[in-house]
Amino acid sequence: MRLRPYTDADRWLTEALETDPEVMRHLGGAAPLARVPKVHERRLAPGGGEWYRTIVSAPDDAPAGVVAVFRSEWGGAEIAELGIMLLPGVRQRHGLAAGAVRLIVEEVRAAGSVPHIHAFIGLDNAAAGVVARRTGFVAAGPCDVDYEGVPIRCEHWVLDLR
Ligand SMILES: CC(C)(COP(=O)(O)OP(=O)(O)OC[C@H]1O[C@@H](n2cnc3c(N)ncnc32)[C@H](O)[C@@H]1OP(=O)(O)O)[C@@H](O)C(=O)NCCC(=O)NCCS
């Protein structure tokens, strides 16, 4: 498994992920098709201090998902937030996510500009919670997060890069 920069050729991947009810179950639900261009554009042209990567996996070296560290806001301050999504079916439940998170964390750490990475994971999103703990994130307490207008009770996870 490896990461490569997200490109214009990955538009189908964003559409497949964002509009899938199972992938989006803990992220506010399937997005309407109309939201896809905006999400794709942001991934294509990230701001400074943002990383969007396509996860490519064996055996066919095809895209399996997207992992990102992006600028977000928490408690009135700007933070770096982790997000990861894998295509449903054969790409999930093979331990891909932890490897992808470790790789993007190393990229962010090497940049030297981000002290902490945050993740907000639905309390019933068991797989994502396991991945966060396995990759060194520490639980910082429950909180309520708004995912595209849908309130979700989450655990706030923090990875200290200092
Ligand atoms: C969260 C996600 C990235 C995890 O990726 P993954 O590579 O499938 O995860 P893993 O295979 O490493 O599984 C992690 C653990 O969760 C378990 N698990 C995986 N899918 C599960 C599911 N649907 N329900 C319950 N447990 C699950 C696995 O058994 C594994 O535990 P184990 O190693 O002790 O057996 C993936 O499920 C996904 O894309 N979900 C939809 C998007 C999402 O919710 N992203 C997180 C947003 S913060």
mmCIF file with all atom_site columns, all heavy atoms in Angstrom, residues 23 26-27 84-86 91-98 120-121 125-128 130-131 134, ligand 1:
data_model
loop_
_atom_site.group_PDB
_atom_site.id
_atom_site.type_symbol
_atom_site.label_atom_id
_atom_site.label_alt_id
_atom_site.label_comp_id
_atom_site.label_asym_id
_atom_site.label_entity_id
_atom_site.label_seq_id
_atom_site.pdbx_PDB_ins_code
_atom_site.Cartn_x
_atom_site.Cartn_y
_atom_site.Cartn_z
_atom_site.occupancy
_atom_site.B_iso_or_equiv
_atom_site.pdbx_formal_charge
_atom_site.auth_seq_id
_atom_site.auth_comp_id
_atom_site.auth_asym_id
_atom_site.auth_atom_id
_atom_site.pdbx_PDB_model_num
ATOM   1   N N   . VAL A 1 23  ? -20.268 4.155  3.480  1.00 0.00 ? 23  VAL A N   1
ATOM   2   C CA  . VAL A 1 23  ? -19.033 4.902  3.775  1.00 0.00 ? 23  VAL A CA  1
ATOM   3   C C   . VAL A 1 23  ? -19.353 6.135  4.623  1.00 0.00 ? 23  VAL A C   1
ATOM   4   O O   . VAL A 1 23  ? -18.622 6.492  5.550  1.00 0.00 ? 23  VAL A O   1
ATOM   5   C CB  . VAL A 1 23  ? -18.328 5.328  2.463  1.00 0.00 ? 23  VAL A CB  1
ATOM   6   C CG1 . VAL A 1 23  ? -17.156 6.252  2.742  1.00 0.00 ? 23  VAL A CG1 1
ATOM   7   C CG2 . VAL A 1 23  ? -17.873 4.105  1.674  1.00 0.00 ? 23  VAL A CG2 1
ATOM   8   N N   . HIS A 1 26  ? -21.231 7.353  9.267  1.00 0.00 ? 26  HIS A N   1
ATOM   9   C CA  . HIS A 1 26  ? -20.855 8.091  10.486 1.00 0.00 ? 26  HIS A CA  1
ATOM   10  C C   . HIS A 1 26  ? -20.411 9.513  10.169 1.00 0.00 ? 26  HIS A C   1
ATOM   11  O O   . HIS A 1 26  ? -19.809 10.178 10.999 1.00 0.00 ? 26  HIS A O   1
ATOM   12  C CB  . HIS A 1 26  ? -19.727 7.357  11.199 1.00 0.00 ? 26  HIS A CB  1
ATOM   13  C CG  . HIS A 1 26  ? -20.051 5.940  11.524 1.00 0.00 ? 26  HIS A CG  1
ATOM   14  N ND1 . HIS A 1 26  ? -20.915 5.589  12.543 1.00 0.00 ? 26  HIS A ND1 1
ATOM   15  C CD2 . HIS A 1 26  ? -19.656 4.774  10.958 1.00 0.00 ? 26  HIS A CD2 1
ATOM   16  C CE1 . HIS A 1 26  ? -21.029 4.269  12.594 1.00 0.00 ? 26  HIS A CE1 1
ATOM   17  N NE2 . HIS A 1 26  ? -20.278 3.754  11.640 1.00 0.00 ? 26  HIS A NE2 1
ATOM   18  N N   . LEU A 1 27  ? -20.656 9.956  8.940  1.00 0.00 ? 27  LEU A N   1
ATOM   19  C CA  . LEU A 1 27  ? -20.168 11.270 8.507  1.00 0.00 ? 27  LEU A CA  1
ATOM   20  C C   . LEU A 1 27  ? -21.298 12.137 7.956  1.00 0.00 ? 27  LEU A C   1
ATOM   21  O O   . LEU A 1 27  ? -21.091 12.934 7.047  1.00 0.00 ? 27  LEU A O   1
ATOM   22  C CB  . LEU A 1 27  ? -19.074 11.075 7.437  1.00 0.00 ? 27  LEU A CB  1
ATOM   23  C CG  . LEU A 1 27  ? -17.867 10.226 7.881  1.00 0.00 ? 27  LEU A CG  1
ATOM   24  C CD1 . LEU A 1 27  ? -17.000 9.864  6.696  1.00 0.00 ? 27  LEU A CD1 1
ATOM   25  C CD2 . LEU A 1 27  ? -17.048 10.989 8.915  1.00 0.00 ? 27  LEU A CD2 1
ATOM   26  N N   . ILE A 1 84  ? -10.306 9.898  6.822  1.00 0.00 ? 84  ILE A N   1
ATOM   27  C CA  . ILE A 1 84  ? -9.960  8.750  5.969  1.00 0.00 ? 84  ILE A CA  1
ATOM   28  C C   . ILE A 1 84  ? -11.226 8.030  5.546  1.00 0.00 ? 84  ILE A C   1
ATOM   29  O O   . ILE A 1 84  ? -12.168 7.883  6.335  1.00 0.00 ? 84  ILE A O   1
ATOM   30  C CB  . ILE A 1 84  ? -8.979  7.781  6.680  1.00 0.00 ? 84  ILE A CB  1
ATOM   31  C CG1 . ILE A 1 84  ? -8.637  6.617  5.744  1.00 0.00 ? 84  ILE A CG1 1
ATOM   32  C CG2 . ILE A 1 84  ? -9.524  7.289  8.003  1.00 0.00 ? 84  ILE A CG2 1
ATOM   33  C CD1 . ILE A 1 84  ? -7.390  5.853  6.139  1.00 0.00 ? 84  ILE A CD1 1
ATOM   34  N N   . MET A 1 85  ? -11.262 7.600  4.293  1.00 0.00 ? 85  MET A N   1
ATOM   35  C CA  . MET A 1 85  ? -12.402 6.847  3.761  1.00 0.00 ? 85  MET A CA  1
ATOM   36  C C   . MET A 1 85  ? -11.869 5.802  2.799  1.00 0.00 ? 85  MET A C   1
ATOM   37  O O   . MET A 1 85  ? -11.054 6.125  1.922  1.00 0.00 ? 85  MET A O   1
ATOM   38  C CB  . MET A 1 85  ? -13.319 7.751  2.937  1.00 0.00 ? 85  MET A CB  1
ATOM   39  C CG  . MET A 1 85  ? -13.876 8.924  3.647  1.00 0.00 ? 85  MET A CG  1
ATOM   40  S SD  . MET A 1 85  ? -14.503 10.055 2.382  1.00 0.00 ? 85  MET A SD  1
ATOM   41  C CE  . MET A 1 85  ? -16.095 10.353 3.044  1.00 0.00 ? 85  MET A CE  1
ATOM   42  N N   . LEU A 1 86  ? -12.359 4.583  2.948  1.00 0.00 ? 86  LEU A N   1
ATOM   43  C CA  . LEU A 1 86  ? -12.008 3.514  2.004  1.00 0.00 ? 86  LEU A CA  1
ATOM   44  C C   . LEU A 1 86  ? -13.248 3.104  1.234  1.00 0.00 ? 86  LEU A C   1
ATOM   45  O O   . LEU A 1 86  ? -14.362 3.133  1.778  1.00 0.00 ? 86  LEU A O   1
ATOM   46  C CB  . LEU A 1 86  ? -11.476 2.290  2.762  1.00 0.00 ? 86  LEU A CB  1
ATOM   47  C CG  . LEU A 1 86  ? -10.169 2.474  3.534  1.00 0.00 ? 86  LEU A CG  1
ATOM   48  C CD1 . LEU A 1 86  ? -9.829  1.192  4.278  1.00 0.00 ? 86  LEU A CD1 1
ATOM   49  C CD2 . LEU A 1 86  ? -9.029  2.882  2.620  1.00 0.00 ? 86  LEU A CD2 1
ATOM   50  N N   . ARG A 1 91  ? -12.006 -3.313 -0.175 1.00 0.00 ? 91  ARG A N   1
ATOM   51  C CA  . ARG A 1 91  ? -10.943 -2.429 0.323  1.00 0.00 ? 91  ARG A CA  1
ATOM   52  C C   . ARG A 1 91  ? -10.984 -2.272 1.836  1.00 0.00 ? 91  ARG A C   1
ATOM   53  O O   . ARG A 1 91  ? -10.005 -1.843 2.437  1.00 0.00 ? 91  ARG A O   1
ATOM   54  C CB  . ARG A 1 91  ? -11.040 -1.050 -0.341 1.00 0.00 ? 91  ARG A CB  1
ATOM   55  C CG  . ARG A 1 91  ? -10.983 -1.096 -1.845 1.00 0.00 ? 91  ARG A CG  1
ATOM   56  C CD  . ARG A 1 91  ? -9.676  -1.687 -2.316 1.00 0.00 ? 91  ARG A CD  1
ATOM   57  N NE  . ARG A 1 91  ? -9.610  -1.711 -3.772 1.00 0.00 ? 91  ARG A NE  1
ATOM   58  C CZ  . ARG A 1 91  ? -8.525  -2.011 -4.452 1.00 0.00 ? 91  ARG A CZ  1
ATOM   59  N NH1 . ARG A 1 91  ? -7.420  -2.328 -3.813 1.00 0.00 ? 91  ARG A NH1 1
ATOM   60  N NH2 . ARG A 1 91  ? -8.542  -2.035 -5.758 1.00 0.00 ? 91  ARG A NH2 1
ATOM   61  N N   . GLN A 1 92  ? -12.118 -2.553 2.439  1.00 0.00 ? 92  GLN A N   1
ATOM   62  C CA  . GLN A 1 92  ? -12.225 -2.382 3.889  1.00 0.00 ? 92  GLN A CA  1
ATOM   63  C C   . GLN A 1 92  ? -11.936 -3.698 4.610  1.00 0.00 ? 92  GLN A C   1
ATOM   64  O O   . GLN A 1 92  ? -11.970 -4.762 4.040  1.00 0.00 ? 92  GLN A O   1
ATOM   65  C CB  . GLN A 1 92  ? -13.625 -1.879 4.253  1.00 0.00 ? 92  GLN A CB  1
ATOM   66  C CG  . GLN A 1 92  ? -13.883 -0.456 3.735  1.00 0.00 ? 92  GLN A CG  1
ATOM   67  C CD  . GLN A 1 92  ? -15.103 0.198  4.374  1.00 0.00 ? 92  GLN A CD  1
ATOM   68  O OE1 . GLN A 1 92  ? -15.643 -0.294 5.350  1.00 0.00 ? 92  GLN A OE1 1
ATOM   69  N NE2 . GLN A 1 92  ? -15.519 1.317  3.811  1.00 0.00 ? 92  GLN A NE2 1
ATOM   70  N N   . ARG A 1 93  ? -11.627 -3.560 5.894  1.00 0.00 ? 93  ARG A N   1
ATOM   71  C CA  . ARG A 1 93  ? -11.425 -4.682 6.820  1.00 0.00 ? 93  ARG A CA  1
ATOM   72  C C   . ARG A 1 93  ? -10.184 -5.495 6.508  1.00 0.00 ? 93  ARG A C   1
ATOM   73  O O   . ARG A 1 93  ? -10.133 -6.688 6.795  1.00 0.00 ? 93  ARG A O   1
ATOM   74  C CB  . ARG A 1 93  ? -12.666 -5.583 6.873  1.00 0.00 ? 93  ARG A CB  1
ATOM   75  C CG  . ARG A 1 93  ? -13.931 -4.789 7.213  1.00 0.00 ? 93  ARG A CG  1
ATOM   76  C CD  . ARG A 1 93  ? -15.065 -5.668 7.589  1.00 0.00 ? 93  ARG A CD  1
ATOM   77  N NE  . ARG A 1 93  ? -15.012 -5.951 9.018  1.00 0.00 ? 93  ARG A NE  1
ATOM   78  C CZ  . ARG A 1 93  ? -16.072 -6.041 9.797  1.00 0.00 ? 93  ARG A CZ  1
ATOM   79  N NH1 . ARG A 1 93  ? -17.270 -5.907 9.304  1.00 0.00 ? 93  ARG A NH1 1
ATOM   80  N NH2 . ARG A 1 93  ? -15.939 -6.299 11.074 1.00 0.00 ? 93  ARG A NH2 1
ATOM   81  N N   . HIS A 1 94  ? -9.167  -4.871 5.890  1.00 0.00 ? 94  HIS A N   1
ATOM   82  C CA  . HIS A 1 94  ? -7.895  -5.558 5.659  1.00 0.00 ? 94  HIS A CA  1
ATOM   83  C C   . HIS A 1 94  ? -6.734  -4.819 6.314  1.00 0.00 ? 94  HIS A C   1
ATOM   84  O O   . HIS A 1 94  ? -5.586  -5.001 5.930  1.00 0.00 ? 94  HIS A O   1
ATOM   85  C CB  . HIS A 1 94  ? -7.626  -5.716 4.166  1.00 0.00 ? 94  HIS A CB  1
ATOM   86  C CG  . HIS A 1 94  ? -8.611  -6.608 3.475  1.00 0.00 ? 94  HIS A CG  1
ATOM   87  N ND1 . HIS A 1 94  ? -8.706  -7.959 3.749  1.00 0.00 ? 94  HIS A ND1 1
ATOM   88  C CD2 . HIS A 1 94  ? -9.567  -6.342 2.567  1.00 0.00 ? 94  HIS A CD2 1
ATOM   89  C CE1 . HIS A 1 94  ? -9.681  -8.475 3.008  1.00 0.00 ? 94  HIS A CE1 1
ATOM   90  N NE2 . HIS A 1 94  ? -10.219 -7.516 2.287  1.00 0.00 ? 94  HIS A NE2 1
ATOM   91  N N   . GLY A 1 95  ? -7.060  -3.938 7.234  1.00 0.00 ? 95  GLY A N   1
ATOM   92  C CA  . GLY A 1 95  ? -5.990  -3.232 7.933  1.00 0.00 ? 95  GLY A CA  1
ATOM   93  C C   . GLY A 1 95  ? -5.322  -2.139 7.115  1.00 0.00 ? 95  GLY A C   1
ATOM   94  O O   . GLY A 1 95  ? -4.263  -1.632 7.504  1.00 0.00 ? 95  GLY A O   1
ATOM   95  N N   . LEU A 1 96  ? -5.931  -1.743 5.995  1.00 0.00 ? 96  LEU A N   1
ATOM   96  C CA  . LEU A 1 96  ? -5.321  -0.705 5.140  1.00 0.00 ? 96  LEU A CA  1
ATOM   97  C C   . LEU A 1 96  ? -5.260  0.646  5.849  1.00 0.00 ? 96  LEU A C   1
ATOM   98  O O   . LEU A 1 96  ? -4.312  1.404  5.668  1.00 0.00 ? 96  LEU A O   1
ATOM   99  C CB  . LEU A 1 96  ? -6.185  -0.502 3.887  1.00 0.00 ? 96  LEU A CB  1
ATOM   100 C CG  . LEU A 1 96  ? -5.773  -1.132 2.574  1.00 0.00 ? 96  LEU A CG  1
ATOM   101 C CD1 . LEU A 1 96  ? -6.708  -0.620 1.475  1.00 0.00 ? 96  LEU A CD1 1
ATOM   102 C CD2 . LEU A 1 96  ? -4.329  -0.785 2.251  1.00 0.00 ? 96  LEU A CD2 1
ATOM   103 N N   . ALA A 1 97  ? -6.291  0.956  6.601  1.00 0.00 ? 97  ALA A N   1
ATOM   104 C CA  . ALA A 1 97  ? -6.427  2.315  7.125  1.00 0.00 ? 97  ALA A CA  1
ATOM   105 C C   . ALA A 1 97  ? -5.266  2.700  8.044  1.00 0.00 ? 97  ALA A C   1
ATOM   106 O O   . ALA A 1 97  ? -4.739  3.816  7.939  1.00 0.00 ? 97  ALA A O   1
ATOM   107 C CB  . ALA A 1 97  ? -7.760  2.453  7.870  1.00 0.00 ? 97  ALA A CB  1
ATOM   108 N N   . ALA A 1 98  ? -4.869  1.812  8.920  1.00 0.00 ? 98  ALA A N   1
ATOM   109 C CA  . ALA A 1 98  ? -3.802  2.170  9.869  1.00 0.00 ? 98  ALA A CA  1
ATOM   110 C C   . ALA A 1 98  ? -2.509  2.485  9.118  1.00 0.00 ? 98  ALA A C   1
ATOM   111 O O   . ALA A 1 98  ? -1.807  3.450  9.447  1.00 0.00 ? 98  ALA A O   1
ATOM   112 C CB  . ALA A 1 98  ? -3.595  1.048  10.886 1.00 0.00 ? 98  ALA A CB  1
ATOM   113 N N   . PHE A 1 120 ? -12.243 13.444 14.841 1.00 0.00 ? 120 PHE A N   1
ATOM   114 C CA  . PHE A 1 120 ? -13.537 13.421 15.516 1.00 0.00 ? 120 PHE A CA  1
ATOM   115 C C   . PHE A 1 120 ? -14.286 12.208 14.977 1.00 0.00 ? 120 PHE A C   1
ATOM   116 O O   . PHE A 1 120 ? -14.704 12.188 13.817 1.00 0.00 ? 120 PHE A O   1
ATOM   117 C CB  . PHE A 1 120 ? -14.294 14.729 15.264 1.00 0.00 ? 120 PHE A CB  1
ATOM   118 C CG  . PHE A 1 120 ? -13.537 15.923 15.778 1.00 0.00 ? 120 PHE A CG  1
ATOM   119 C CD1 . PHE A 1 120 ? -12.672 16.633 14.946 1.00 0.00 ? 120 PHE A CD1 1
ATOM   120 C CD2 . PHE A 1 120 ? -13.646 16.307 17.109 1.00 0.00 ? 120 PHE A CD2 1
ATOM   121 C CE1 . PHE A 1 120 ? -11.941 17.718 15.426 1.00 0.00 ? 120 PHE A CE1 1
ATOM   122 C CE2 . PHE A 1 120 ? -12.912 17.394 17.601 1.00 0.00 ? 120 PHE A CE2 1
ATOM   123 C CZ  . PHE A 1 120 ? -12.066 18.100 16.753 1.00 0.00 ? 120 PHE A CZ  1
ATOM   124 N N   . ILE A 1 121 ? -14.414 11.198 15.825 1.00 0.00 ? 121 ILE A N   1
ATOM   125 C CA  . ILE A 1 121 ? -14.903 9.899  15.356 1.00 0.00 ? 121 ILE A CA  1
ATOM   126 C C   . ILE A 1 121 ? -16.190 9.532  16.086 1.00 0.00 ? 121 ILE A C   1
ATOM   127 O O   . ILE A 1 121 ? -16.216 9.491  17.333 1.00 0.00 ? 121 ILE A O   1
ATOM   128 C CB  . ILE A 1 121 ? -13.816 8.817  15.573 1.00 0.00 ? 121 ILE A CB  1
ATOM   129 C CG1 . ILE A 1 121 ? -12.584 9.179  14.730 1.00 0.00 ? 121 ILE A CG1 1
ATOM   130 C CG2 . ILE A 1 121 ? -14.352 7.435  15.225 1.00 0.00 ? 121 ILE A CG2 1
ATOM   131 C CD1 . ILE A 1 121 ? -11.401 8.254  14.929 1.00 0.00 ? 121 ILE A CD1 1
ATOM   132 N N   . ASN A 1 125 ? -18.587 4.424  15.635 1.00 0.00 ? 125 ASN A N   1
ATOM   133 C CA  . ASN A 1 125 ? -17.739 4.078  14.489 1.00 0.00 ? 125 ASN A CA  1
ATOM   134 C C   . ASN A 1 125 ? -16.557 3.239  15.003 1.00 0.00 ? 125 ASN A C   1
ATOM   135 O O   . ASN A 1 125 ? -15.434 3.727  15.177 1.00 0.00 ? 125 ASN A O   1
ATOM   136 C CB  . ASN A 1 125 ? -17.257 5.350  13.780 1.00 0.00 ? 125 ASN A CB  1
ATOM   137 C CG  . ASN A 1 125 ? -16.620 5.060  12.433 1.00 0.00 ? 125 ASN A CG  1
ATOM   138 O OD1 . ASN A 1 125 ? -16.352 3.910  12.100 1.00 0.00 ? 125 ASN A OD1 1
ATOM   139 N ND2 . ASN A 1 125 ? -16.367 6.106  11.659 1.00 0.00 ? 125 ASN A ND2 1
ATOM   140 N N   . ALA A 1 126 ? -16.861 1.959  15.262 1.00 0.00 ? 126 ALA A N   1
ATOM   141 C CA  . ALA A 1 126 ? -15.889 1.096  15.945 1.00 0.00 ? 126 ALA A CA  1
ATOM   142 C C   . ALA A 1 126 ? -14.586 0.975  15.163 1.00 0.00 ? 126 ALA A C   1
ATOM   143 O O   . ALA A 1 126 ? -13.494 1.072  15.740 1.00 0.00 ? 126 ALA A O   1
ATOM   144 C CB  . ALA A 1 126 ? -16.512 -0.290 16.154 1.00 0.00 ? 126 ALA A CB  1
ATOM   145 N N   . ALA A 1 127 ? -14.671 0.769  13.838 1.00 0.00 ? 127 ALA A N   1
ATOM   146 C CA  . ALA A 1 127 ? -13.460 0.551  13.045 1.00 0.00 ? 127 ALA A CA  1
ATOM   147 C C   . ALA A 1 127 ? -12.544 1.770  13.108 1.00 0.00 ? 127 ALA A C   1
ATOM   148 O O   . ALA A 1 127 ? -11.326 1.649  13.312 1.00 0.00 ? 127 ALA A O   1
ATOM   149 C CB  . ALA A 1 127 ? -13.835 0.236  11.601 1.00 0.00 ? 127 ALA A CB  1
ATOM   150 N N   . ALA A 1 128 ? -13.106 2.962  12.965 1.00 0.00 ? 128 ALA A N   1
ATOM   151 C CA  . ALA A 1 128 ? -12.283 4.174  12.968 1.00 0.00 ? 128 ALA A CA  1
ATOM   152 C C   . ALA A 1 128 ? -11.655 4.405  14.347 1.00 0.00 ? 128 ALA A C   1
ATOM   153 O O   . ALA A 1 128 ? -10.511 4.860  14.448 1.00 0.00 ? 128 ALA A O   1
ATOM   154 C CB  . ALA A 1 128 ? -13.132 5.375  12.553 1.00 0.00 ? 128 ALA A CB  1
ATOM   155 N N   . VAL A 1 130 ? -10.746 2.057  16.454 1.00 0.00 ? 130 VAL A N   1
ATOM   156 C CA  . VAL A 1 130 ? -9.622  1.110  16.562 1.00 0.00 ? 130 VAL A CA  1
ATOM   157 C C   . VAL A 1 130 ? -8.410  1.664  15.807 1.00 0.00 ? 130 VAL A C   1
ATOM   158 O O   . VAL A 1 130 ? -7.271  1.634  16.301 1.00 0.00 ? 130 VAL A O   1
ATOM   159 C CB  . VAL A 1 130 ? -10.021 -0.279 15.989 1.00 0.00 ? 130 VAL A CB  1
ATOM   160 C CG1 . VAL A 1 130 ? -8.804  -1.174 15.844 1.00 0.00 ? 130 VAL A CG1 1
ATOM   161 C CG2 . VAL A 1 130 ? -11.062 -0.937 16.869 1.00 0.00 ? 130 VAL A CG2 1
ATOM   162 N N   . VAL A 1 131 ? -8.645  2.194  14.618 1.00 0.00 ? 131 VAL A N   1
ATOM   163 C CA  . VAL A 1 131 ? -7.544  2.721  13.796 1.00 0.00 ? 131 VAL A CA  1
ATOM   164 C C   . VAL A 1 131 ? -6.876  3.902  14.509 1.00 0.00 ? 131 VAL A C   1
ATOM   165 O O   . VAL A 1 131 ? -5.646  4.006  14.555 1.00 0.00 ? 131 VAL A O   1
ATOM   166 C CB  . VAL A 1 131 ? -8.057  3.121  12.395 1.00 0.00 ? 131 VAL A CB  1
ATOM   167 C CG1 . VAL A 1 131 ? -7.003  3.891  11.622 1.00 0.00 ? 131 VAL A CG1 1
ATOM   168 C CG2 . VAL A 1 131 ? -8.491  1.875  11.621 1.00 0.00 ? 131 VAL A CG2 1
ATOM   169 N N   . ARG A 1 134 ? -4.767  2.589  17.386 1.00 0.00 ? 134 ARG A N   1
ATOM   170 C CA  . ARG A 1 134 ? -3.611  1.849  16.868 1.00 0.00 ? 134 ARG A CA  1
ATOM   171 C C   . ARG A 1 134 ? -2.519  2.759  16.313 1.00 0.00 ? 134 ARG A C   1
ATOM   172 O O   . ARG A 1 134 ? -1.363  2.380  16.257 1.00 0.00 ? 134 ARG A O   1
ATOM   173 C CB  . ARG A 1 134 ? -4.077  0.936  15.739 1.00 0.00 ? 134 ARG A CB  1
ATOM   174 C CG  . ARG A 1 134 ? -4.044  -0.484 16.151 1.00 0.00 ? 134 ARG A CG  1
ATOM   175 C CD  . ARG A 1 134 ? -4.575  -1.422 15.108 1.00 0.00 ? 134 ARG A CD  1
ATOM   176 N NE  . ARG A 1 134 ? -5.267  -2.474 15.827 1.00 0.00 ? 134 ARG A NE  1
ATOM   177 C CZ  . ARG A 1 134 ? -6.101  -3.320 15.292 1.00 0.00 ? 134 ARG A CZ  1
ATOM   178 N NH1 . ARG A 1 134 ? -6.368  -3.265 14.002 1.00 0.00 ? 134 ARG A NH1 1
ATOM   179 N NH2 . ARG A 1 134 ? -6.671  -4.242 16.027 1.00 0.00 ? 134 ARG A NH2 1
HETATM 180 C C1  . LIG B 2 .   ? -12.809 3.557  9.253  1.00 0.00 ? 1   LIG B C1  1
HETATM 181 C C2  . LIG B 2 .   ? -12.137 2.840  8.092  1.00 0.00 ? 1   LIG B C2  1
HETATM 182 C C3  . LIG B 2 .   ? -11.216 3.812  7.359  1.00 0.00 ? 1   LIG B C3  1
HETATM 183 C C4  . LIG B 2 .   ? -11.316 1.669  8.679  1.00 0.00 ? 1   LIG B C4  1
HETATM 184 O O1  . LIG B 2 .   ? -10.562 1.096  7.641  1.00 0.00 ? 1   LIG B O1  1
HETATM 185 P P1  . LIG B 2 .   ? -10.184 -0.476 7.548  1.00 0.00 ? 1   LIG B P1  1
HETATM 186 O O2  . LIG B 2 .   ? -8.888  -0.595 6.830  1.00 0.00 ? 1   LIG B O2  1
HETATM 187 O O3  . LIG B 2 .   ? -11.356 -1.195 7.035  1.00 0.00 ? 1   LIG B O3  1
HETATM 188 O O4  . LIG B 2 .   ? -9.948  -0.822 9.059  1.00 0.00 ? 1   LIG B O4  1
HETATM 189 P P2  . LIG B 2 .   ? -9.230  -2.121 9.594  1.00 0.00 ? 1   LIG B P2  1
HETATM 190 O O5  . LIG B 2 .   ? -9.349  -3.256 8.632  1.00 0.00 ? 1   LIG B O5  1
HETATM 191 O O6  . LIG B 2 .   ? -7.866  -1.755 10.063 1.00 0.00 ? 1   LIG B O6  1
HETATM 192 O O7  . LIG B 2 .   ? -10.140 -2.421 10.843 1.00 0.00 ? 1   LIG B O7  1
HETATM 193 C C5  . LIG B 2 .   ? -9.903  -1.847 12.085 1.00 0.00 ? 1   LIG B C5  1
HETATM 194 C C6  . LIG B 2 .   ? -10.605 -2.674 13.140 1.00 0.00 ? 1   LIG B C6  1
HETATM 195 O O8  . LIG B 2 .   ? -11.998 -2.412 13.092 1.00 0.00 ? 1   LIG B O8  1
HETATM 196 C C7  . LIG B 2 .   ? -12.711 -3.624 12.814 1.00 0.00 ? 1   LIG B C7  1
HETATM 197 N N1  . LIG B 2 .   ? -13.726 -3.304 11.813 1.00 0.00 ? 1   LIG B N1  1
HETATM 198 C C8  . LIG B 2 .   ? -13.513 -2.994 10.530 1.00 0.00 ? 1   LIG B C8  1
HETATM 199 N N2  . LIG B 2 .   ? -14.680 -2.709 9.921  1.00 0.00 ? 1   LIG B N2  1
HETATM 200 C C9  . LIG B 2 .   ? -15.634 -2.828 10.872 1.00 0.00 ? 1   LIG B C9  1
HETATM 201 C C10 . LIG B 2 .   ? -17.035 -2.645 10.887 1.00 0.00 ? 1   LIG B C10 1
HETATM 202 N N3  . LIG B 2 .   ? -17.696 -2.269 9.784  1.00 0.00 ? 1   LIG B N3  1
HETATM 203 N N4  . LIG B 2 .   ? -17.692 -2.847 12.045 1.00 0.00 ? 1   LIG B N4  1
HETATM 204 C C11 . LIG B 2 .   ? -17.036 -3.203 13.154 1.00 0.00 ? 1   LIG B C11 1
HETATM 205 N N5  . LIG B 2 .   ? -15.698 -3.385 13.223 1.00 0.00 ? 1   LIG B N5  1
HETATM 206 C C12 . LIG B 2 .   ? -15.016 -3.192 12.080 1.00 0.00 ? 1   LIG B C12 1
HETATM 207 C C13 . LIG B 2 .   ? -11.710 -4.602 12.272 1.00 0.00 ? 1   LIG B C13 1
HETATM 208 O O9  . LIG B 2 .   ? -12.067 -5.931 12.592 1.00 0.00 ? 1   LIG B O9  1
HETATM 209 C C14 . LIG B 2 .   ? -10.418 -4.158 12.927 1.00 0.00 ? 1   LIG B C14 1
HETATM 210 O O10 . LIG B 2 .   ? -10.233 -4.723 14.203 1.00 0.00 ? 1   LIG B O10 1
HETATM 211 P P3  . LIG B 2 .   ? -9.253  -6.003 14.385 1.00 0.00 ? 1   LIG B P3  1
HETATM 212 O O11 . LIG B 2 .   ? -7.983  -5.675 13.638 1.00 0.00 ? 1   LIG B O11 1
HETATM 213 O O12 . LIG B 2 .   ? -9.089  -6.067 15.856 1.00 0.00 ? 1   LIG B O12 1
HETATM 214 O O13 . LIG B 2 .   ? -9.979  -7.147 13.768 1.00 0.00 ? 1   LIG B O13 1
HETATM 215 C C15 . LIG B 2 .   ? -13.173 2.268  7.098  1.00 0.00 ? 1   LIG B C15 1
HETATM 216 O O14 . LIG B 2 .   ? -14.035 1.413  7.808  1.00 0.00 ? 1   LIG B O14 1
HETATM 217 C C16 . LIG B 2 .   ? -13.975 3.348  6.375  1.00 0.00 ? 1   LIG B C16 1
HETATM 218 O O15 . LIG B 2 .   ? -13.578 3.825  5.310  1.00 0.00 ? 1   LIG B O15 1
HETATM 219 N N6  . LIG B 2 .   ? -15.152 3.707  6.962  1.00 0.00 ? 1   LIG B N6  1
HETATM 220 C C17 . LIG B 2 .   ? -16.034 4.721  6.349  1.00 0.00 ? 1   LIG B C17 1
HETATM 221 C C18 . LIG B 2 .   ? -15.506 6.140  6.502  1.00 0.00 ? 1   LIG B C18 1
HETATM 222 C C19 . LIG B 2 .   ? -15.247 6.507  7.943  1.00 0.00 ? 1   LIG B C19 1
HETATM 223 O O16 . LIG B 2 .   ? -16.084 6.306  8.816  1.00 0.00 ? 1   LIG B O16 1
HETATM 224 N N7  . LIG B 2 .   ? -14.063 7.079  8.179  1.00 0.00 ? 1   LIG B N7  1
HETATM 225 C C20 . LIG B 2 .   ? -13.642 7.528  9.479  1.00 0.00 ? 1   LIG B C20 1
HETATM 226 C C21 . LIG B 2 .   ? -13.998 8.934  9.637  1.00 0.00 ? 1   LIG B C21 1
HETATM 227 S S1  . LIG B 2 .   ? -13.267 9.698  11.033 1.00 0.00 ? 1   LIG B S1  1
#
